[in-house]
Amino acid sequence: QVQLQESSPGLVKPSGTLSLTCAVSGGSITSNNWWSWVRQSPGKGLEWIGEIYHSGVRSYNPSLNSRVTISVDKSKNQFSLALSSVTAADTAVYYCARITPQPRQDAFDIWGQGTMVTVSS
Amino acid sequence: QSVLTQPPSVSGAPGQRIIISCTGSSSDIGAGYGVHWYRQLPGTAPKLLIYANNNRPSGVPDRFSGSNSGTSASLAITGLQAEDEADYYCQSYDSSLRGRVFGGGTKLTVL
């Protein structure tokens, strides 16, 4: 049973870079899956941030594209998110999630428990 | 403002049937991209409830069903139970935005 666990940086200063890691257990990050980040601002809905395949192919939300970098570390079986130039609007619960590819039909089938990140000085 | 539109709230009595709608456009649901539904209990991560329009992952009871037509989709819950009280989100892919999109979420209250 694949499980995902986000790291917990907690507090990030405005204009800084938010860095999160998602550890994959019970399976390999080199399996035929995409690995994604989704966030949820307090009291709000879900927002897809981006995703990566183990080969390094990436896709980002156009609204965040200039600030987002997602990477994979196969040796540690984990993937990471870096979000630069953060503001209070980036305060949210950040989830990592797995996508099992199905042409035009792929869904987020496994989620991490989520980690709260607050942007504040 | 979310790309997919859901009613903010729905309610129903125990045992009743409710439907949650999800309205998209010709570049997402209308383009044939699958609609997926997630349930989120308070303080927990979303959980996949329905995938690819009308398929249930293992362990999801058949009280939950999905359907879609044109640019809209819907989630039906029959035999409503108190533990169904949660937030429900639809999700698809939008070809014009080139990304995965969510509905704004619907809060289900069991009366």
Side-chain angles (χ1 to χ4, degrees):
Chain A
Q1 177 79 353
V2 172
Q3 294 184 315
L4 307 177
Q5 178 66 58
E6 303 90 347
S7 59
S8 51
L11 188 65
V12 181
K13 294 187 185 304
S15 78
T17 297
L18 178 161
S19 297
L20 290 172
T21 296
C22 181
V24 179
S25 60
S28 175
I29 203 164
T30 60
S31 60
N32 185 30
N33 296 106
W34 287 77
W35 305 96
S36 182
W37 291 96
V38 176
R39 70 180 181 180
Q40 185 171 33
S41 301
K44 303 289 186 180
L46 300 164
E47 180 182 31
W48 172 72
I49 298 172
E51 61 200 45
I52 190 167
Y53 197 72
H54 62 79
S55 62
V57 176
R58 303 169 177 83
S59 179
Y60 297 147
N61 186 324
S63 69
L64 300 169
N65 186 58
S66 62
R67 300 195 291 132
V68 173
T69 302
I70 297 177
S71 58
V72 161
D73 187 334
K74 298 177 194 176
S75 66
K76 295 183 178 179
N77 214 40
Q78 64 186 32
F79 61 106
S80 300
L81 167 70
L83 182 66
S84 63
S85 304
V86 297
T87 69
D90 295 309
T91 293
V93 175
Y94 285 76
Y95 297 100
C96 57
R98 187 186 80 170
I99 300 166
T100 296
Q102 297 286 340
R104 288 178 165 243
Q105 306 293 329
D106 38 16
F108 300 97
D109 59 355
I110 296 176
W111 295 70
Q113 65 184 28
T115 186
M116 181 68 200
V117 178
T118 301
V119 178
S120 174
S121 56
Chain B
Q1 190 159 345
S2 302
V3 173
L4 304 178
T5 301
Q6 298 179 237
S9 63
V10 298
S11 63
Q16 283 189 331
R17 177 178 184 259
I18 64 95
I19 293 177
I20 299 173
S21 62
C22 175
T23 303
S25 69
S26 59
S27 60
D28 40 65
I29 299 174
Y33 291 99
V35 178
H36 321 293
W37 292 90
Y38 305 86
R39 176 164 75 171
Q40 186 176 36
L41 298 170
T44 69
K47 179 182 176 182
L48 183 63
L49 193 64
I50 296 287
Y51 68 95
N53 304 318
N54 55 11
N55 297 278
R56 291 186 307 277
S58 174
V60 174
D62 60 7
R63 299 189 298 109
F64 298 87
S65 63
S67 64
N68 69 333
S69 178
T71 59
S72 295
S74 60
L75 171 71
I77 308 175
T78 59
L80 208 56
Q81 300 177 4
E83 55 262 38
D84 295 331
E85 199 161 274
D87 294 325
Y88 293 81
Y89 292 89
C90 62
Q91 179 258 314
S92 186
Y93 180 89
D94 191 289
S95 56
S96 65
L97 298 175
R98 298 187 181 182
R100 303 183 193 276
V101 292
F102 287 93
T106 297
K107 182 175 182 60
L108 170 60
T109 300
V110 180
L111 303 172

